[in-house]
Amino acid sequence: MKQTDHYCLPLKTASDLPELDFGKLTPIATGDETSHAFQLLDTFDDTLSSAGKLLCDTGDTLELLTPRDGLLRQPATRSGPFVTDLADGPVKAALGDVSPLRALLPVGEGDMQEAMLSLVDGEQKTLVRINLRLLTTQQGESIAIVTLQGLRGYDKALAQVREQILASGGAPLGEGSIYATLFPGHAGYVAKPVILIGQDEAAYHAANSIICTYLPIARANEKGIINDTDTEFLHDYRIALRKIRSVLSLFSGVYSEKATLRLKTRFSELMSPTGRLRDLDVYLAEKDKFFALLPNTLHPGLAQLFDMFADQRKEAQTALSNHLKSKAYRQEVGDLVDLFAKGKKIKRGPDADRPALDYSRALIWKRYRKVCKIAAGIDAQTEDEEVHRLRIQCKKLRYLMEFFGPVFPKAEFQNILKPLKRLQDNLGLFNDYSVQQDNLRALLDDMGRTSEKKNLEIAQSVGALVAVLHRKQLEERAKVMKSFANFNSKTTRDTFRTLFHDTKGKK
């Protein structure tokens, strides 16, 4: 992999760049300085920044600085906010690892000044070029970025310049946050935060810490849902609420029985209005996959079906947006934030003061044993409900493990979490195929009440799709059994026992 040749420089060093000592190389300004407006783009979860990349829209050009590919440029033409909406070109190709479900959003804007230096030897031959960019925001914050370009055959000269840049306070792009420097108010979003729970911390405080962490994560997604920016805002919102509900369900005895029941009800009521929109998002995201499953002769009916889903989605999104903007929702979610921030108002249960580490071990071990018991009884004839029960138990086990993961040895912990994730992936697909069939069958029942030609065409396509999904569900069931066999290896069993059951660390 090519070494990173983009560096952030202190402003004073950047202004003194022509005066730095580059040994036998002499810096000479080449070309005219230019100035133009810029806008930095990234996903809501800062996918590019976390990968050491910087995407800049200058109006007519997209510029991407990457550790691997250097500086890439292409026309800024795009038909929408997603990477897939960009015109074909090197920037789009280099952004291929960005989720197609995540919109590129403005992080901030300002003015960019560019200058070019050539480092020449005694014979005035250019060995290295330096591109200097000074980014200044509308609020007056600035940062300097230098890009080094070594000419072929002069690696030694490039290495020498690189050493001088680093010695002068330069830091490789991606080390530290450019956004934090340029836009101090930029709040980095992390969907899966690391929650540090002390080994001697009481289970009550550990539960409060987890819920206090995920409530703001849910709330951070509200604006994106209301504006319909991309579907991942709703997805992350639901996951955050689901994790909170799992704490209330799994941490039995930490809060009083009455308080637990009341909190479960309140969070379920927050989650309830989101279900229909999420179901439609999933259908529409898999539109191309559904068309690929059926022959061309059934595509007209399928097209009408997805037109209907698109119309229903508009209605569902408007309804959810209005709900999230309502006074009642704002009051309720605000009250829950205040409740857990203060903590003392929630009545304690019998296990409230139990040490979090011992408590987590017992919870994880109990859930692991339940997963193994259910999975051991699954075969080709097992009812779907039992497979769904396994999925739910696996989800609860994974949440528990992720909550308390930092407390346990990282390497051993990851070794047992990876096969659990693979098993969950298979169970998730199995569940998706099952839910999709149920929803489509319900749709067929509704259409059976009318003989309109349009509905008959849709029904024919839906009936064929249900049959295909049923076959894929059966295929996924076989994969579930195989994944559990991998998860249930002797090594995994021994590691679970060591970490979560044998507190003396003996197998």
Side-chain angles (χ1 to χ4, degrees), residues 432-486:
D432 288 346
Y433 293 140
S434 177
V435 171
Q436 288 166 356
Q437 288 176 75
D438 290 343
N439 290 341
L440 290 172
R441 288 191 188 100
L443 182 64
L444 282 176
D445 289 341
D446 290 339
M447 289 183 172
R449 302 186 183 98
T450 176
S451 59
E452 291 182 19
K453 181 180 178 182
K454 175 182 176 181
N455 283 356
L456 290 175
E457 288 180 341
I458 296 175
Q460 185 180 20
S461 297
V462 169
L465 189 57
V466 168
V468 173
L469 290 173
H470 178 66
R471 186 178 71 247
K472 294 186 75 66
Q473 183 186 10
L474 294 179
E475 293 171 356
E476 206 61 41
R477 179 196 287 266
K479 294 179 183 178
V480 166
M481 292 185 285
K482 183 177 180 180
S483 292
F484 175 70
N486 293 332

Side-chain angles (χ1 to χ4, degrees), residues 300-319:
L302 205 55
Q304 294 177 61
L305 173 67
F306 276 94
D307 286 344
M308 184 173 66
F309 283 159
D311 290 340
Q312 291 176 354
R313 188 195 180 279
K314 290 178 183 178
E315 296 176 2
Q317 199 283 324
T318 299

